[in-house]
Amino acid sequence: MAARRVVDTSAWIEWLTASTLGRKLANQFPDRAQCVVPTIVQIELSKWLVREVGEDEADQVIAFTLKCVVVPLDTPIALLAAGLHREYKLATADAIVLATARHSGADLLTCDAHFAGLPGVVLVAKAGK
Protein backbone atom coordinates (compact mmCIF):
# COMPACT_ATOMS: atom_id res chain seq x y z
CA MET A 1 0.00 0.00 0.00
CA ALA A 2 1.30 3.45 -0.89
CA ALA A 3 2.05 5.93 1.86
CA ARG A 4 -0.39 8.67 2.77
CA ARG A 5 0.54 12.13 1.60
CA VAL A 6 -0.71 15.65 2.25
CA VAL A 7 -0.37 17.90 -0.79
CA ASP A 8 0.19 21.53 0.18
CA THR A 9 -1.72 24.30 -1.58
CA SER A 10 1.46 25.40 -3.39
CA ALA A 11 1.85 21.95 -4.98
CA TRP A 12 -1.86 21.77 -5.90
CA ILE A 13 -1.61 25.13 -7.69
CA GLU A 14 1.50 24.13 -9.62
CA TRP A 15 -0.15 20.84 -10.61
CA LEU A 16 -3.46 22.45 -11.58
CA THR A 17 -1.77 25.08 -13.74
CA ALA A 18 0.40 22.41 -15.38
CA SER A 19 3.44 24.59 -14.86
CA THR A 20 6.89 23.16 -15.50
CA LEU A 21 7.14 22.44 -11.78
CA GLY A 22 3.59 21.07 -11.78
CA ARG A 23 4.52 18.56 -14.47
CA LYS A 24 7.46 17.44 -12.30
CA LEU A 25 5.08 17.09 -9.35
CA ALA A 26 2.57 14.96 -11.24
CA ASN A 27 4.34 11.70 -10.43
CA GLN A 28 4.59 12.75 -6.76
CA PHE A 29 0.83 13.14 -6.33
CA PRO A 30 -0.75 10.30 -4.36
CA ASP A 31 -3.75 8.28 -5.44
CA ARG A 32 -6.98 9.71 -4.07
CA ALA A 33 -7.23 7.01 -1.39
CA GLN A 34 -3.81 8.07 -0.05
CA CYS A 35 -4.22 11.84 -0.62
CA VAL A 36 -4.94 13.60 2.67
CA VAL A 37 -6.57 17.02 2.21
CA PRO A 38 -6.64 19.35 5.21
CA THR A 39 -9.70 21.59 5.20
CA ILE A 40 -7.36 24.62 5.34
CA VAL A 41 -6.01 23.51 1.93
CA GLN A 42 -9.59 23.41 0.60
CA ILE A 43 -10.04 27.01 1.83
CA GLU A 44 -6.81 28.20 0.24
CA LEU A 45 -7.50 26.35 -3.02
CA SER A 46 -11.05 27.66 -3.24
CA LYS A 47 -9.92 31.26 -2.67
CA TRP A 48 -7.21 30.98 -5.31
CA LEU A 49 -9.37 29.14 -7.85
CA VAL A 50 -12.34 31.51 -7.60
CA ARG A 51 -9.97 34.47 -8.06
CA GLU A 52 -7.97 32.93 -10.92
CA VAL A 53 -10.40 30.74 -12.90
CA GLY A 54 -13.90 31.23 -11.52
CA GLU A 55 -16.43 29.50 -9.30
CA ASP A 56 -17.35 26.63 -11.62
CA GLU A 57 -13.75 25.44 -11.92
CA ALA A 58 -13.24 25.95 -8.19
CA ASP A 59 -16.26 23.77 -7.48
CA GLN A 60 -14.87 21.03 -9.72
CA VAL A 61 -11.50 20.98 -7.94
CA ILE A 62 -13.09 21.01 -4.50
CA ALA A 63 -15.37 18.16 -5.61
CA PHE A 64 -12.22 16.25 -6.61
CA THR A 65 -10.67 16.85 -3.17
CA LEU A 66 -13.81 15.39 -1.59
CA LYS A 67 -12.89 12.06 -3.23
CA CYS A 68 -9.64 12.16 -1.24
CA VAL A 69 -9.25 11.80 2.54
CA VAL A 70 -10.48 15.16 3.87
CA VAL A 71 -9.28 15.89 7.40
CA PRO A 72 -11.04 18.72 9.23
CA LEU A 73 -9.23 20.90 11.74
CA ASP A 74 -10.00 19.58 15.21
CA THR A 75 -8.56 20.22 18.66
CA PRO A 76 -5.72 17.64 18.55
CA ILE A 77 -4.54 18.97 15.16
CA ALA A 78 -4.92 22.58 16.33
CA LEU A 79 -2.79 21.95 19.42
CA LEU A 80 -0.16 20.12 17.37
CA ALA A 81 -0.17 23.04 14.90
CA ALA A 82 0.38 25.51 17.75
CA GLY A 83 3.44 23.54 18.82
CA LEU A 84 4.79 23.35 15.25
CA HIS A 85 4.19 27.09 14.84
CA ARG A 86 6.33 27.76 17.91
CA GLU A 87 9.00 25.20 17.04
CA TYR A 88 9.47 26.06 13.37
CA LYS A 89 8.13 29.66 13.19
CA LEU A 90 5.55 28.63 10.58
CA ALA A 91 2.56 30.71 9.57
CA THR A 92 -0.66 29.43 11.09
CA ALA A 93 -1.99 27.84 7.87
CA ASP A 94 1.36 26.14 7.19
CA ALA A 95 1.49 24.82 10.76
CA ILE A 96 -2.03 23.38 10.34
CA VAL A 97 -1.06 21.66 7.08
CA LEU A 98 2.07 20.12 8.63
CA ALA A 99 0.16 19.15 11.79
CA THR A 100 -2.50 17.45 9.67
CA ALA A 101 0.20 15.47 7.88
CA ARG A 102 1.80 14.36 11.13
CA HIS A 103 -1.53 13.58 12.79
CA SER A 104 -2.52 11.48 9.75
CA GLY A 105 0.77 9.59 9.53
CA ALA A 106 1.43 11.22 6.16
CA ASP A 107 4.31 13.08 4.60
CA LEU A 108 3.87 16.55 3.12
CA LEU A 109 4.45 17.40 -0.54
CA THR A 110 5.14 21.10 -1.01
CA CYS A 111 6.85 23.70 -3.16
CA ASP A 112 7.24 26.19 -0.31
CA ALA A 113 10.86 26.71 0.68
CA HIS A 114 10.00 27.59 4.29
CA PHE A 115 9.29 23.87 4.84
CA ALA A 116 12.86 22.98 3.77
CA GLY A 117 14.62 20.56 6.08
CA LEU A 118 11.59 19.77 8.22
CA PRO A 119 11.00 16.09 9.04
CA GLY A 120 8.37 14.39 6.91
CA VAL A 121 8.46 17.02 4.17
CA VAL A 122 9.02 16.30 0.47
CA LEU A 123 10.10 19.63 -0.99
CA VAL A 124 10.08 20.11 -4.75
CA ALA A 125 11.50 23.61 -4.81
CA LYS A 126 10.65 26.26 -7.32
CA ALA A 127 13.53 27.27 -9.62
CA GLY A 128 15.87 29.73 -7.97
CA LYS A 129 14.57 28.99 -4.47
Side-chain angles (χ1 to χ4, degrees), residues 10 14 21 111-112 123-129:
S10 63
E14 295 294 335
L21 183 56
C111 303
D112 286 339
L123 175 65
V124 180
K126 296 177 182 179
K129 300 280 180 183

Side-chain angles (χ1 to χ4, degrees), residues 1 8 11-12 24-26 37-38 40-41 48-49 59 62 66 71 77 80 84-85 93 101 116 122 126 129:
M1 176 183 261
D8 186 37
W12 276 103
K24 289 180 189 174
L25 286 167
V37 181
I40 190 81
V41 169
W48 182 84
L49 287 159
D59 289 346
I62 298 304
L66 290 172
V71 177
I77 293 172
L80 181 55
L84 293 171
H85 164 77
V122 177
K126 296 177 182 179
K129 300 280 180 183

Side-chain angles (χ1 to χ4, degrees), residues 52-64:
E52 297 296 323
V53 296
E55 252 181 80
D56 289 341
E57 290 83 353
D59 289 346
Q60 290 174 17
V61 173
I62 298 304
F64 178 83

